[in-house]
Amino acid sequence: MSTCPYSKTAGGCRRNHCRLLHQNPENAQRGPSASAKSPTSKPRRPQTKTGAPNGVCKFYFAGESCKRNSCTYRHTEPDGASVTKQRGSGAPSSSSHRGANKAPTLAERSLEPAGFSPIPASKALYQLSIICASGSVLTKPAQIMKFVNLLANASSKDSGWDEKDCQRFLEIITETHGLSRIETVLTFDPVIVQVNARREPISFTSAYIPCLGYLVSRFVLDSTMGIRVNSLYGLIHTNFDRVSTIITTCMTDITK
């Protein structure tokens, strides 16, 4: 069989069904050339990092600043790292999830109750729905500690929760009786530094601080659900005198 004279050229053979022998140094074959291309066909572009998956912010995925004021998409980079943005800024915040499996810092650990136990998001959401039901109350320190442990899980950086889990947690808190449960903790009497058996108090460091820690957690501060977040901070505003007294008294006892 004769050799196709075009197969050795730089452009290669352009016949769709060439029956001649093709001698290509990289891919020699007999019959139709594998490198033959239709004159109307266009080379397929390789996928770039700007092709964000569904539900992911295309700006962050492309390595740019998010251009939306209240972005509802996940801020995830091509390597799978989740990034949050600061309010009023398109720049990634210091609470980036890059290295999300990294152990939390000492400051982050201080916001967790002494008996903190990690709980999977699905189980925590179920327990929260029971605690926030209309027939449930928080009257005993043990009940409060169970509730505070859920708050600590929702604000912990190593609990394995994602943004959807924490968003659902905030929804349950603000849609049911969760606000009154947090108010119970913030106004509980007594709150002391050293827990003892008298009057069944709650611990300032193990219960009160972690409850406040949820209010300033990354998932609350960066949440786009402004009305729900405002309802949380409204608890501080409404009970400011009591909250201020507890913090001042306990901090004074700690620094003695």
Side-chain angles (χ1 to χ4, degrees):
M1 179 180 290
S2 301
T3 300
C4 176
Y6 301 105
S7 64
K8 299 181 181 181
T9 64
C13 179
R14 297 183 179 276
R15 298 189 180 99
N16 291 334
H17 303 286
C18 183
R19 298 180 180 276
L20 300 179
L21 181 66
H22 290 79
Q23 295 183 351
N24 190 326
E26 297 180 355
N27 186 22
Q29 68 171 35
R30 181 169 181 171
S33 172
S35 61
K37 300 178 182 179
S38 173
T40 58
S41 64
K42 296 182 179 179
R44 182 175 298 176
R45 294 184 178 180
Q47 184 177 4
T48 64
K49 66 177 183 179
T50 56
N54 292 335
V56 175
C57 176
K58 63 181 181 181
F59 300 111
Y60 260 105
F61 198 80
E64 303 174 1
S65 298
C66 181
K67 304 183 185 332
R68 304 182 179 96
N69 291 330
S70 300
C71 185
T72 59
Y73 294 92
R74 297 195 307 276
H75 286 172
T76 304
E77 296 179 345
D79 60 359
S82 177
V83 181
T84 59
K85 64 182 182 66
Q86 297 174 342
R87 286 188 179 274
S89 170
S93 71
S94 59
S95 58
S96 170
H97 258 272
R98 185 180 292 277
N101 295 327
K102 186 170 57 178
T105 64
L106 180 60
E108 294 162 354
R109 279 293 188 190
S110 65
L111 298 179
E112 297 174 355
F116 173 76
S117 57
I119 301 176
S122 58
K123 182 177 180 180
L125 293 173
Y126 173 74
Q127 292 181 0
L128 181 68
S129 63
I130 294 176
I131 293 177
C132 295
S134 58
S136 178
V137 293
L138 295 183
T139 57
K140 303 292 184 181
Q143 296 172 331
I144 289 179
M145 286 302 301
K146 182 177 180 180
F147 176 63
V148 169
N149 188 58
L150 297 179
L151 296 178
N153 270 273
S155 55
S156 176
K157 288 193 174 184
D158 65 342
S159 60
W161 291 39
D162 59 25
E163 294 189 11
K164 288 185 177 180
D165 296 328
C166 293
Q167 191 174 50
R168 180 55 187 154
F169 191 93
L170 179 58
E171 290 174 349
I172 295 176
I173 287 287
T174 53
E175 289 175 355
T176 58
H177 294 271
L179 291 175
S180 64
R181 304 296 181 263
I182 293 180
E183 188 173 28
T184 297
V185 180
L186 296 177
T187 60
F188 195 84
D189 184 32
V191 178
I192 62 176
V193 176
Q194 296 293 335
V195 175
N196 53 45
R198 293 178 297 173
R199 299 177 59 193
E200 296 192 7
I202 64 173
S203 169
F204 178 71
T205 55
S206 297
Y208 205 81
I209 291 297
C211 181
L212 293 175
Y214 174 70
L215 301 183
V216 296
S217 64
R218 178 177 65 84
F219 292 109
V220 173
L221 293 177
D222 292 340
S223 175
T224 58
M225 299 186 292
I227 296 178
R228 298 179 188 274
V229 173
N230 289 340
S231 65
L232 285 177
Y233 295 143
L235 297 175
I236 300 292
H237 178 76
T238 303
N239 302 283
F240 182 79
D241 291 341
R242 175 59 184 159
V243 173
S244 177
T245 299
I246 292 175
I247 294 176
T248 301
T249 302
C250 291
M251 289 304 297
T252 301
D253 291 341
I254 291 175
T255 56
K256 282 182 179 179

